[in-house]
């Protein structure tokens, strides 16, 4: 059986087109890039395989790649996030789309394999989100004889790619489109921070004010969730694995507790770490009855679902996205979105305006690779800081925010040697 | 003699308070002093002569080093502290009101403390390191140095462009402590504290203009908003401007912010951010402060050109009366406000920053043979130690599986690598 989307029903295509119209209106940076490349079609000879959550915003990126001349094959790479109407609309435009909403993990893998195999001579470029395509390409090099390069946009994915590079396994260049201010901070903190809280509220209808809200992990995503939940009146507690993040969270004013203490009295628990088995049996045992569990980290493994199943007597679907687990001891906990990405399942993923920035980085990286990937050696490559500034500049223009231009003497100071505050400075408080 | 004893007595209680508020340096002494990892080393140190640096110096002494200390700034030198530390057997070259020439002489004197020169250097503003590159090529060289300020690192970049660096230098300025504690919390707090204390104004309801949304600027904006100000941010870097806008601040060019602001604070690192054209449009009564390292962010020449008369306004500031009668209040003469007109960063903050510098020497020393001359990043274990010790001091319980302070044994972790 294939997960290829073929002959989608006309009503679904119409729905998808309407969704794409809405997203396109809120993605002015991508629209600007698209109008720059539509005439010259610089991706004419390229076959692009993509594995990024198939949402309406991703659809706008795919449209841009098609407008730039590429042949495109795409899959969402996730169990719950594929928007079938968007998949239908893209398939109707001739894009090879694989997968649907509600797949098992094994089915997700199969759709990835199909995407990689969609072109006769294999893809020339990969656009990845969590290294599913990159990993498949590394383990079956025969399927990608013409592969030139890839982009990767998650923190965990970049970490894995660096490991493969150190082990000498990486045979093509990978551009890291994650470690940019416009991705790392904007997308994660503001985008995922908001859409995660949005997803929890939409799924449960809960009032956040006064609730004890436990955020596990205080990276850029965890920080965004914690700040936004606090802004809505929740009593936020943070759990950290490292002393560094613990210090950051504490100085931002959050109580930092080990999980077994934090979970006592928890109303809502949200994992945002990027690591598996963050909440295991012993943590589940510490939860009070009625607690809501959800995950906004990249993978479905942060909450150990086997441990939860072991403790569960029966489950009930009490609302869309909410599975109530009645435990053997009589308590119940509500698991949102099956432990998958709450923001993409119960809400609509990050707002289009945020994905506009993230995907602008990806689109520009793909255009750069098409123009000169043969000059990059196998390994992980960073996007130049000036490209980051360029995307931010485009977004500010779309927001009608005007800023000063540096004077020549200021420019000299700000760009010399990386300090005291270069144009590429990365971190915030 | 009695005078000296009095001075020492005056500083003693302050030293005790600072010691108690500097637990990360305390953890270094507790973990490592017994092994005296710096014994046999001659350490030249350049730094503000304050009670916090005194705790750092005493930590280095406790680790076994022989230390000589020169002042890095004339205006910050605390003569009582200098006397107290001399009393403990450390050569201190600095007194309040010393001239720029005296400062340079102090640096030379520190380097001349030992006929063979120092083996270790803990520098500020690259004063000692630069001097060590001016002598003959075959002069004795230290085995390891560290530089703790952005200005010093910029100076070393310029030095390296002219001449090969003669020994390894660790960039202790670029540390976790500086990035996560000192800049966004320590400096942001002490700047705002100084501006409020010196101006004596109510912040709620006022317009607070912040030039520069780096780590310090972002921390300052958050605090000013917390006190009820309407914050406006100006920036030249699009990424930082975008973050400011997404944090909910108004972001505009300075020409538009100038007529709106009640307070202005520059934290950019760049020259001439507030220029004549901006000053000429400001409201009467506006308060001006600079939080950047160098006194060049507010264009003082152009301010003077607009000023017809100056009048004092209490300690730490001055009113500039302009030709049309408007008055602007300049804090700390346009120098870094929290140091020139305030109490500087809290001891707890200096603790984190100073600890990184001590660790940059102590943890790297066992493997210094593998380091080529030139600039090197601070090794991650220095940051790990600082974070673990600071987390413990804050009373944070980490999960059992997380390596905490106990994971650092008396043998420096760098030794085996």
């Amino acid at each position: 059986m294939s997960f290829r989307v073929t002959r989608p029903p006309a009503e679904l295509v119409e729905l998808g087109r309407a969704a794409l119209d809405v997203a396109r209106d809120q993605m002015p940076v991508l629209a600007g890039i698209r109008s720059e490349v539509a005439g010259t079609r610089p991706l004419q000879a390229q076959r692009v395989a993509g594995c990024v959550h198939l949402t309406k915003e991703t659809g706008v990126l795919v449209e841009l790649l098609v407008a730039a001349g590429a042949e495109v094959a795409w899959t969402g790479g996730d169990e719950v996030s594929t928007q079938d109407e968007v998949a239908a609309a893209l398939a109707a435009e001739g894009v090879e789309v694989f997968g649907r909403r509600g797949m098992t993990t094994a089915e997700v893998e199969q759709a990835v394999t199909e995407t990689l195999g969609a072109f006769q001579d294999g893809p020339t470029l990969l656009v990845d989100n969590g290294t599913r395509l990159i990993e498949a390409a590394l383990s079956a090099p025969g399927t990608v004889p013409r592969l030139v390069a890839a982009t990767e946009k998650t923190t965990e994915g970049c970490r894995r790619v660096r490991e493969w590079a150190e082990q000498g396994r990486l045979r093509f260049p990978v551009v890291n489109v994650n470690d940019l201010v416009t991705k790392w901070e904007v997308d994660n903190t503001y985008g995922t921070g908001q859409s995660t809280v949005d997803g929890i509220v939409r799924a449960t209808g809960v009032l956040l004010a006064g609730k004890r809200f436990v955020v596990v992990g205080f990276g850029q995503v965890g920080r965004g969730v914690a700040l936004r939940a606090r802004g809505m009146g929740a009593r936020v507690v943070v759990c950290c694995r490292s002393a560094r993040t613990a210090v950051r969270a504490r100085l931002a004013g959050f109580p930092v507790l080990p999980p077994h203490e934090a979970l006592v009295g928890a109303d809502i628990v949200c994992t945002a770490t990027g690591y598996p088995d963050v909440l295991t049996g012993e943590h589940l045992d510490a939860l009070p009855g009625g607690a809501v569990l959800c995950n906004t980290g990249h993978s479905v493994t942060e909450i150990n679902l086997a441990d939860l199943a072991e403790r569960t007597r029966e489950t009930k679907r009490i609302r869309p996205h909410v599975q109530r687990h009645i435990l053997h001891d009589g308590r119940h906990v509500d698991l949102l979105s099956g432990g998958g990405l709450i923001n993409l399942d119960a809400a609509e993923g990050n707002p289009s305006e945020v994905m506009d920035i993230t995907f602008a980085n990806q689109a520009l990286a793909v255009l750069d690779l098409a123009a000169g990937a043969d000059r990059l050696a196998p390994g992980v490559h960073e996007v130049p800081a000036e490209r980051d500034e360029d995307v931010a500049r485009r977004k500010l223009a779309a927001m009608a925010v005007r800023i000063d231009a540096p004077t020549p003497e200021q420019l000299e100071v700000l760009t010399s040697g990386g300090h005291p505050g270069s144009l590429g400075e990365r971190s915030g408080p | 003699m009695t005078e000296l004893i009095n001075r020492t007595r005056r500083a003693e209680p302050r030293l005790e308070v600072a010691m108690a508020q500097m637990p990360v340096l305390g953890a270094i002494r507790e973990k490592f002093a017994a092994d005296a990892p710096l014994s046999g080393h001659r350490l030249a140190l350049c730094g503000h002569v304050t009670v916090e640096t005194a705790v750092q110096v005493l930590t280095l002494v406790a680790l076994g080093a022989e230390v000589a200390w020169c002042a890095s700034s004339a205006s910050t030198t605390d003569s009582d502290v200098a006397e107290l530390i001399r009393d403990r057997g450390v050569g201190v070259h600095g007194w309040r009101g010393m001239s720029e020439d005296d400062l340079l002489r102090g640096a030379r004197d520190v380097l001349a403390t030992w006929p063979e020169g120092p083996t270790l250097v803990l520098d500020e503003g690259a004063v000692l390191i630069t001097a060590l590159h001016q002598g003959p090529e075959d002069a004795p060289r230290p085995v390891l140095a560290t530089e703790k300020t952005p200005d010093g690192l910029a100076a070393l970049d310029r030095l390296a462009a002219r001449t090969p660096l003669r020994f390894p230098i660790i960039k202790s300025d670029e540390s976790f402590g500086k990035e996560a504690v000192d800049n966004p919390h320590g400096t942001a707090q002490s700047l705002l504290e100084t501006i409020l204390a010196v101006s004596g104004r109510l912040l709620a309801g006022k317009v607070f203009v912040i030039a520069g949304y780096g780590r310090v600027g972002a921390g300052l904006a958050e605090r000013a908003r917390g006190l009820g100000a309407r914050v406006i941010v100006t920036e030249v870097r699009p990424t930082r401007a975008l973050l400011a806008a997404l944090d909910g601040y108004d972001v505009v060019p300075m020409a538009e912010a100038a007529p709106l602001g009640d307070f202005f604070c520059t934290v950019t690192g760049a020259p001439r951010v507030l220029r004549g054209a901006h000053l000429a449009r400001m409201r009467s009564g506006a308060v001006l402060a600079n939080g950047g390292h160098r006194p060049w962010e507010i264009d003082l020449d152009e301010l003077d050109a607009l000023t017809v008369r100056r009048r004092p306004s209490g300690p730490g500031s001055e009113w500039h009366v302009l030709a049309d009668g408007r008055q602007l209040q300049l804090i700390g003469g346009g120098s870094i406000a929290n140091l020139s007109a305030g109490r500087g960063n809290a001891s707890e903050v200096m603790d984190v920053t100073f600890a990184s510098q001590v660790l940059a020497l102590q943890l790297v020393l066992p493997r210094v043979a593998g380091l080529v001359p030139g600039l090197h990043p601070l090794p991650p274990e220095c940051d790990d130690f600082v974070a673990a010790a600071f987390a413990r001091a804050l009373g944070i319980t980490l999960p059992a599986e997380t390596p905490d302070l106990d994971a650092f044994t008396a043998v420096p972790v760098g030794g085996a690598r």
Side-chain angles (χ1 to χ4, degrees):
Chain A
M1 179 192 150
S2 166
F3 286 99
R4 181 156 178 260
V5 178
T6 47
R7 278 176 288 157
E11 318 83 80
L12 204 57
V13 172
E14 276 316 303
L15 270 178
R17 284 182 178 151
L20 287 168
D21 287 343
V22 170
R24 218 180 290 115
D25 282 349
Q26 292 177 29
M27 302 181 84
V29 178
L30 280 188
I33 298 170
R34 181 174 166 161
S35 69
E36 287 164 26
V37 298
T40 54
R41 294 173 67 80
L43 298 182
Q44 194 112 48
Q46 304 292 339
R47 297 180 299 278
V48 179
C51 178
V52 178
H53 299 286
L54 231 178
T55 62
K56 58 188 186 295
E57 293 79 18
T58 305
V60 177
L61 171 66
V62 171
E63 288 180 334
L64 186 157
L65 299 173
V66 171
E71 279 181 69
V72 180
W74 210 272
T75 190
D78 187 78
E79 292 82 355
V80 298
S81 69
T82 298
Q83 292 171 2
D84 290 329
E85 66 278 15
V86 175
L90 293 175
E93 301 303 320
V95 176
E96 299 274 346
V97 183
F98 300 89
R100 54 174 157 74
R101 191 184 193 103
M103 292 190 285
T104 64
T105 304
E107 289 170 342
V108 170
E109 294 296 342
Q110 191 196 325
V112 168
T113 309
E114 287 191 65
T115 305
L116 204 61
F119 307 107
Q120 190 143 31
D121 292 324
T124 56
L125 295 170
L126 304 180
V127 175
D128 215 343
N129 176 60
T131 67
R132 285 182 193 273
L133 284 172
I134 294 172
E135 194 164 14
L138 287 177
S139 55
T143 59
V144 288
R146 303 286 159 82
L147 183 61
V148 178
T151 68
E152 166 60 39
K153 86 166 174 83
T154 67
T155 310
E156 303 93 272
C158 289
R159 191 176 60 219
R160 284 198 288 274
V161 173
R162 275 190 208 97
E163 279 171 20
W164 295 329
E166 278 163 26
Q167 295 160 4
R169 288 185 57 201
L170 199 64
R171 285 183 294 271
F172 45 86
V174 176
V175 174
N176 168 7
V177 286
N178 180 62
D179 292 342
L180 295 162
V181 175
T182 45
K183 158 67 171 97
W184 175 243
E185 298 204 35
V186 174
D187 180 311
N188 290 337
T189 305
Y190 304 90
T192 309
Q194 174 175 320
S195 62
T196 299
V197 173
D198 184 20
I200 293 167
V201 172
R202 288 198 206 186
T204 61
V206 72
L207 174 74
L208 286 176
K211 291 296 189 311
R212 183 167 171 108
F213 191 120
V214 180
V215 181
V216 187
F218 199 75
Q220 296 294 334
V221 171
R223 174 172 167 264
V225 172
L227 287 171
R228 272 135 196 85
R230 177 162 74 184
M232 302 281 277
R235 296 174 296 131
V236 176
V237 177
V238 175
C239 301
C240 296
R241 279 166 55 107
S242 82
R244 293 192 197 195
T245 50
V247 166
R248 286 181 199 276
R250 176 65 181 273
L251 293 187
F254 297 105
V256 177
L257 293 173
H260 62 276
E261 286 178 40
L263 296 173
V264 175
D267 295 301
I268 299 159
V269 183
C270 181
T271 56
T273 70
Y275 293 94
D277 298 326
V278 174
L279 286 185
T280 59
E282 53 164 330
H283 302 123
L284 298 171
D285 292 340
L287 281 174
V292 170
L293 290 182
C294 64
N295 163 52
T296 192
H298 183 70
S299 107
V300 76
T301 56
E302 300 209 10
I303 300 169
N304 187 317
L305 297 175
D307 284 2
L308 179 59
E310 205 174 274
R311 286 164 174 72
T312 300
R313 188 173 68 215
E314 61 168 309
T315 61
K316 282 193 270 190
R317 177 142 301 255
I318 59 166
R319 285 166 68 107
H321 317 292
V322 186
Q323 180 103 332
R324 175 155 293 178
H325 288 248
I326 310 209
L327 308 185
H328 292 305
D329 61 11
R331 286 176 304 144
H332 72 264
V333 297
D334 289 341
L335 179 70
L336 307 188
S337 302
L341 295 174
I342 174 70
N343 65 329
L344 279 154
D345 181 53
E348 295 168 64
N350 291 353
S352 307
E353 297 158 272
V354 168
M355 299 317 292
D356 188 26
I357 302 177
T358 308
F359 288 152
N361 280 314
Q362 270 181 316
L364 292 170
V366 168
L367 290 166
D368 284 349
L369 284 172
D374 45 341
R375 291 193 294 271
L376 293 180
V380 181
H381 298 268
E382 305 299 325
V383 175
E386 191 38 53
R387 180 36 67 69
D388 207 6
E389 298 297 339
D390 177 40
V391 169
R393 197 175 285 120
R394 288 168 184 261
K395 190 68 185 179
L396 287 170
M399 295 165 76
V401 173
R402 289 161 303 110
I403 62 171
D404 287 311
T407 63
E409 56 177 345
Q410 288 173 350
L411 193 63
E412 200 188 317
V413 171
L414 292 171
T415 52
S416 71
H419 34 250
S422 78
L423 279 167
E425 185 184 359
R426 291 286 149 86
S427 22
Chain B
M1 193 63 205
T2 326
E3 169 65 6
L4 283 188
I5 290 167
N6 284 344
R7 280 185 163 183
T8 304
R9 285 207 186 120
R10 277 205 299 267
E12 194 89 50
R14 286 192 290 128
L15 182 69
E16 253 171 59
V17 170
M19 281 269 188
Q21 291 179 358
M22 299 180 81
V24 181
L25 285 170
I28 293 174
R29 292 192 301 275
E30 188 184 313
K31 284 266 168 195
F32 304 119
D35 292 338
L38 301 184
S39 83
H41 280 284
R42 307 180 295 274
L43 194 154
L45 183 145
C46 178
H48 295 282
V49 181
T50 62
V51 71
E52 288 85 8
T53 315
V55 177
Q56 184 186 40
V57 165
L58 293 177
T59 302
L60 292 162
V61 170
L63 297 179
E66 200 182 308
V67 181
W69 175 8
C70 62
S72 60
S73 155
S75 62
T76 56
T77 296
D78 183 328
S79 298
D80 294 349
V81 169
E83 212 49 64
L84 176 70
I85 297 303
R86 275 184 206 117
D87 200 43
R88 306 236 177 150
V90 173
V92 183
H93 300 262
W95 60 91
R96 190 149 196 112
M98 66 199 292
S99 68
E100 290 295 317
D101 279 349
D102 291 336
L103 279 175
L104 284 178
R105 198 171 309 124
R108 281 197 298 272
D109 288 347
V110 159
L111 294 176
T113 304
W114 309 280
E116 291 296 291
T119 55
L120 297 172
V121 174
L122 200 165
D123 211 353
E124 174 157 336
V127 172
L128 295 170
I129 297 171
T130 305
L132 283 164
H133 283 81
Q134 284 161 350
E137 285 266 3
D138 56 355
R141 297 171 180 187
V143 293
L144 185 63
T146 184
E147 166 57 42
K148 60 184 167 189
T149 66
D151 281 347
L153 290 178
L156 289 176
D157 280 339
R158 292 192 296 272
L159 179 67
R162 291 196 305 272
T163 176
L165 296 178
R166 295 182 181 177
F167 40 86
I169 302 160
I170 307 293
K171 299 191 275 187
S172 57
D173 175 59
E174 292 166 17
S175 65
F176 167 80
K178 194 89 171 208
E179 180 239 324
V181 182
D182 188 320
N183 287 340
H185 298 289
T187 304
Q189 175 179 313
S190 68
L191 274 175
L192 193 56
E193 178 189 312
T194 302
I195 291 167
L196 296 184
V198 172
S199 71
R201 306 283 293 279
L202 176 73
L203 196 47
K206 297 286 173 30
V207 174
F208 196 105
V209 180
I210 297 171
Y213 200 72
R215 295 190 292 253
V216 177
L220 186 59
E222 197 180 5
R223 281 157 183 75
R225 177 156 71 184
L227 286 166
R230 180 186 149 208
V231 174
I232 297 180
V233 172
T234 75
E235 249 299 349
V236 298
R237 298 167 298 178
T239 50
R240 302 304 306 186
L242 182 59
L243 293 178
L246 295 179
D247 282 332
Y249 302 108
D250 286 330
V251 181
V252 300
M254 185 55 91
E256 289 174 31
L260 302 175
D262 299 294
F263 296 85
F264 292 83
C265 187
T266 56
V267 277
T268 70
R272 301 183 59 239
V273 176
L274 282 180
R275 301 184 288 277
H278 307 131
L279 300 167
R281 302 187 61 191
M282 285 179 184
R283 295 159 64 163
S284 189
V287 176
L288 312 182
N290 165 41
H293 250 276
R294 300 176 62 171
W296 65 1
E297 304 206 14
I298 300 170
D299 192 322
L300 299 172
D301 292 339
E302 294 191 353
L303 177 59
D304 284 345
L306 291 169
T307 302
V308 291
R309 189 164 60 86
R310 297 183 187 200
R311 59 183 184 83
S313 60
S317 74
E318 207 173 22
W319 284 106
H320 284 248
V321 183
L322 311 189
D324 58 8
R326 283 178 305 132
Q327 311 186 28
L328 302 175
Q329 187 177 16
L330 179 68
I331 293 185
S335 291
I336 181 168
N338 58 341
L339 291 179
S340 60
R343 291 181 300 174
N345 285 354
S347 302
E348 295 160 273
V349 174
M350 301 319 295
D351 180 34
V352 169
T353 312
F354 286 169
S356 300
Q357 297 153 13
V358 172
L359 293 168
L361 295 177
Q362 185 217 326
L363 293 184
V364 174
L365 198 52
R367 57 185 148 129
V368 76
L371 285 185
V372 295
L375 291 164
H376 296 270
L378 187 72
E381 61 263 31
C382 298
D383 285 340
D384 289 339
F385 184 99
V386 168
F390 194 54
R392 176 172 289 186
L394 288 169
I396 296 172
T397 313
L398 292 166
E401 66 274 18
T402 298
D404 67 357
L405 196 56
D406 294 331
F408 291 87
T409 55
V411 178
V413 286
R417 297 195 181 176

